[in-house]
Amino acid sequence: MMLNRPFRSVLYLPGSNARALEKAQSLPVDAIIFDLEDAVSPDQKVNARLALAEKLTQGDFGQRYRIVRINGLETEWGDDDLAQFAAVGPDAILIPKVESRDALNDIAALLDQVPAAKNTKLWAMMETPKGILNAAEIAKSDRLEGFVMGTNDLAKDLGSRSREAMITSLQHCLLAARAEGLICIDGVFNAFKDEDGLRAEAEQGRDFGFDGKSLIHPAQLAISNAVFGPSEDEVDTARRQIEAFQTAQEDGKGVAVVDGKIVENLHVETARSLLAKASAIAEMEG
């Protein structure tokens, strides 16, 4: 897991929208999911694949993490999608509706045969009941780097009408991801004009432990970046925790006290990780 690389905001963009792809090169987003699946109509999938491959080859997306969501390999487009983007070698390829470890290992074996894909990771959409139940095994897959929660599809399959009904599924996948050191991204918030709703759901996802949130509109970026990024107060506290613990160790003590709370080695590890993440964000934002 890339502990310090920020994934506060992970924006879906249609692979068929040339204007959106151009604009993406200047958006304040940590990662982009270039979508060839749900966001592209069947009659546009081939053209979208070719256009996106060219854009990723020629475009400058800076430090934004490039993830391509291909169509499922059971569809008529999936095999060609995989072959095309294995040759391009983006940061990661996102596989929809993953339900087994073997399925991902087979894809990883195909990527192993393509030199351009040497450093390309796999990400898994966790969006079906079977996939959720198999999360612990899926998390052990070859080349796997992250989970993305597909809450819309999951809600459909479950017949649920609220986020609360999916909390067990969300936490189950997060547990599986953390057990194997994977990144785990929360699902989308559909009402992109509802800033208060987005903030509340993002804060809940952050408090659960998710690394960031998947987004459907650039208007959601600022809130997601703010919620999942370290605040000034958190950075200040982290620095003081490290300093206090170092002083305590020099005095022969195993713990320190900051703001009336015990600080042990595990808190210092968390503090150092937070500062490293803050530093990575600052570098990305120039």
Side-chain angles (χ1 to χ4, degrees), residues 54-211:
E54 181 178 3
K55 190 64 179 179
L56 289 180
T57 301
Q58 299 180 358
D60 182 6
F61 291 91
Q63 297 187 58
R64 298 165 188 84
Y65 202 74
R66 302 165 305 144
I67 306 168
V68 176
R69 181 164 74 169
I70 64 173
N71 291 280
L73 298 192
E74 75 283 357
T75 71
E76 62 183 280
W77 310 283
D79 287 339
D80 289 338
D81 285 351
L82 181 61
Q84 180 80 68
F85 289 98
V88 170
D91 295 306
I93 294 175
L94 176 59
I95 310 302
K97 297 179 176 60
V98 174
E99 295 188 332
S100 75
R101 178 183 180 182
D102 288 345
L104 284 184
N105 285 349
D106 289 344
I107 296 172
L110 291 172
L111 294 181
D112 289 342
Q113 302 174 32
V114 184
K118 177 182 178 181
N119 297 317
T120 297
K121 302 298 184 181
L122 289 177
W123 284 44
M125 289 295 306
M126 304 301 290
E127 53 188 340
T128 69
K130 186 174 181 180
I132 302 299
L133 289 173
N134 291 337
E137 278 301 305
I138 292 170
K140 299 175 184 177
S141 302
D142 298 340
R143 282 192 185 234
L144 189 63
E145 183 177 58
F147 282 167
V148 179
M149 300 306 303
T151 44
N152 283 338
D153 279 283
L154 182 60
K156 174 182 67 67
D157 286 356
L158 293 177
S160 61
R161 300 185 180 184
S162 69
R163 180 171 169 89
E164 286 70 24
M166 291 186 284
I167 285 178
T168 296
S169 298
L170 293 169
Q171 293 180 326
H172 182 67
C173 286
L174 184 58
L175 278 168
R178 292 297 183 252
E180 299 299 328
L182 303 180
I183 299 155
C184 200
I185 304 299
D186 198 1
V188 300
F189 183 75
N190 295 313
F192 66 90
K193 293 184 179 181
D194 180 2
E195 294 186 353
D196 291 339
L198 171 62
R199 186 178 300 277
E201 189 169 290
E203 288 175 349
Q204 183 192 58
R206 175 201 62 197
D207 293 348
F208 281 173
F210 284 103
D211 295 292

